[in-house]
Amino acid sequence: MTPKEKKAQLRNEKLALRDAMTTQARIEGSLAMADHAGEVIAFEPGAVISGFWPIRSEADIRPLMARLAERGARLSLPVVLDRETIVFRELVRGAPMVKTGFGTTGPGPEAELLDPDILLVPLSAFDGNGHRIGYGAGHYDRAIDRLRAKGLTPRLIGVAFACQEVAEVPFEPHDVALDAVLTEDGFRIFNEQGGQG
């Protein structure tokens, strides 16, 4: 089995487990994530943190994003422009939310484009070394590459439920590892950059 085939198998298995969680378990898990990381993620006031509006059975990190905003973060959400590109639009209280591609919701085109200092990254599966499997479209990998090409080094914090952990993700040279991962069980740092401001 090739690494790509193995990733597809793990993605399907772990998303099926996530989908099987009860609504109550997802809500409780999402609130636990806010409790675990709301004060732990280090950043300077004014730092840009990209979150995400939950789709399908993803964790709902809106309570966490609210806590980060209270601590002085500028929030943004990813917006799918086309099959290749996502950008990050500023999320401000009261701004209208629109459909933004790939089943997502986010700020409209009038919102300011921002370069995140921290990315809260949804994923399909992860392992104890910080390797992740996304949803297969490569949007985040390309967005991270574009930020790095500008000389930026955003911290990458994966967000998943504990049931999405696997023993080992097949890691390929183009893959980008996480600095930390957040689940309902806690906040785990793989790279010191993951927790420090």
Side-chain angles (χ1 to χ4, degrees):
M1 191 179 292
T2 67
K4 187 172 183 173
E5 290 168 337
K6 182 64 174 170
K7 284 181 181 178
Q9 179 186 23
L10 290 171
R11 179 184 298 117
N12 290 338
E13 288 173 4
K14 291 303 175 177
L15 289 180
L17 281 177
R18 190 182 76 183
D19 289 344
M21 292 175 67
T22 66
T23 301
Q24 185 67 26
R26 281 198 295 271
I27 291 169
E28 293 296 330
S30 298
L31 292 172
M33 288 178 190
D35 289 341
H36 292 312
E39 303 303 322
V40 172
I41 298 172
F43 59 90
E44 296 295 325
V48 176
I49 300 180
S50 172
F52 54 89
W53 230 241
I55 60 172
R56 300 187 298 266
S57 57
E58 287 177 345
D60 185 348
I61 62 166
R62 289 176 289 188
L64 171 60
M65 291 192 306
R67 287 197 188 182
L68 298 174
E70 288 168 3
R71 291 178 49 211
R74 288 180 77 185
L75 299 178
S76 65
L77 291 176
V79 174
V80 179
L81 295 184
D82 55 46
R83 295 180 71 84
E84 296 291 314
T85 312
I86 59 173
V87 296
F88 301 92
R89 291 180 182 160
E90 185 170 20
L91 174 65
V92 295
R93 190 181 298 272
M97 300 291 280
V98 299
K99 294 293 180 195
T100 53
F102 204 62
T104 63
T105 301
E110 69 286 346
E112 184 177 351
L113 293 180
L114 300 175
D115 289 330
D117 300 298
I118 299 172
L119 290 169
L120 302 176
V121 183
L123 49 83
S124 299
F126 69 95
D127 68 18
N129 294 313
H131 300 142
R132 70 175 182 89
I133 300 173
Y135 293 142
H139 284 123
Y140 273 93
D141 291 331
R142 286 189 296 275
I144 292 162
D145 285 345
R146 281 192 299 278
L147 291 168
R148 288 180 173 171
K150 292 180 176 184
L152 305 173
T153 53
R155 282 183 285 153
L156 309 178
I157 300 173
V159 178
F161 291 108
C163 68
Q164 293 172 253
E165 185 167 4
V166 298
E168 184 178 12
V169 166
F171 192 67
E172 299 176 90
H174 65 270
D175 290 333
V176 180
L178 300 167
D179 296 303
V181 71
L182 173 63
T183 73
E184 72 273 28
D185 291 343
F187 185 69
R188 289 174 18 201
I189 297 172
F190 304 115
N191 169 347
E192 271 311 305
Q193 183 180 326
Q196 306 307 311

